[in-house]
Amino acid sequence: MSRPRPLPLDPIQEAHRQWVGHGWGAVADGMAAVTSLVRAQQIVMARVDEALRPTGLTFSRYELLQLLNFSATGALPMAVASARLQVHPTSVTNSVDRLEAAGLVNRVPHPNDRRATLIEITDAGRALVAEATGYLNERVFARPELPPDRLRTLLQLLTEFRHTAGDFDTGEDPARWAEP
């Protein structure tokens, strides 16, 4: 994977300096944290897009295929897929439209609810998601750019952030990466 040439300065550190200089020092760390998260997401998504390029999948379509692949029957109601992927139902519909046109999923009637439609992964979908997972495991997930102890710290911090933001509620059962 090619890497862009690094900048000679950290633009987020410079923005932090400017924030402080303009009298916004009380929120400068928050601005730097949010901007760093957004930039980190851009870096990661560029790596993911490059890894998935040979498969023709976007990450959202990959996630949907993998969700179906992991399900016990290979099929889920569209509403359940939307909830588990934490995306609007319209996004799932658009992904299903594309995946169905490519022969990777089928829409099938729900056996117990005439109002619901199931999304079912095809054999071709299973084969493609397995290929894509191999690329992601090798080119992205195996190289997170942090040593294991720092990766665990990052997971703890992001889990805390997501929990506090209301992303999930595990009740009395702490999240997997909660601080010991």
Side-chain angles (χ1 to χ4, degrees):
M1 248 176 232
S2 62
R3 288 177 173 237
R5 273 176 60 159
L7 297 172
L9 61 88
D10 179 353
I12 297 172
Q13 182 178 350
E14 175 57 20
H16 187 278
R17 187 183 72 74
Q18 293 287 345
W19 239 250
V20 171
H22 282 83
W24 305 316
V27 298
D29 287 351
M31 176 282 303
V34 168
T35 306
S36 292
L37 283 169
V38 170
R39 181 61 188 136
Q41 190 264 351
Q42 291 169 340
I43 292 166
V44 170
M45 287 311 300
R47 292 177 69 200
V48 166
D49 290 345
E50 189 172 333
L52 289 175
R53 189 169 292 120
T55 69
L57 291 173
T58 63
F59 192 61
S60 62
R61 291 181 208 142
Y62 166 80
E63 286 183 304
L64 178 56
L65 283 176
Q66 193 63 278
L67 177 66
L68 295 172
N69 190 47
F70 285 158
S71 72
T73 63
L76 289 171
M78 291 187 62
V80 171
S82 173
R84 290 191 184 161
L85 294 172
Q86 298 175 301
V87 297
H88 193 275
T90 303
S91 297
V92 172
T93 300
N94 290 337
S95 290
V96 170
D97 288 345
R98 302 279 180 130
L99 293 169
E100 189 173 39
L104 303 171
V105 300
N106 292 315
R107 284 181 171 94
V108 296
H110 193 291
N112 304 322
D113 183 353
R114 292 183 340 180
R115 297 166 297 160
T117 299
L118 297 178
I119 314 160
E120 181 179 66
I121 192 168
T122 65
D123 290 342
R126 287 187 192 279
L128 188 62
V129 80
E131 178 185 358
T133 299
Y135 290 138
L136 287 169
N137 283 342
E138 176 188 332
R139 300 175 185 177
V140 181
F141 302 149
R143 298 187 319 221
E145 305 295 344
L146 290 171
D149 63 320
R150 301 299 291 156
L151 186 59
R152 177 166 283 292
T153 299
L154 178 62
L155 284 167
Q156 289 170 344
L157 291 170
L158 291 173
T159 299
E160 179 183 344
F161 175 86
R162 292 175 42 240
H163 182 264
T164 302
D167 195 38
F168 65 93
D169 182 3
T170 54
E172 297 299 314
D173 185 23
R176 160 81 169 84
W177 295 286
E179 287 193 61

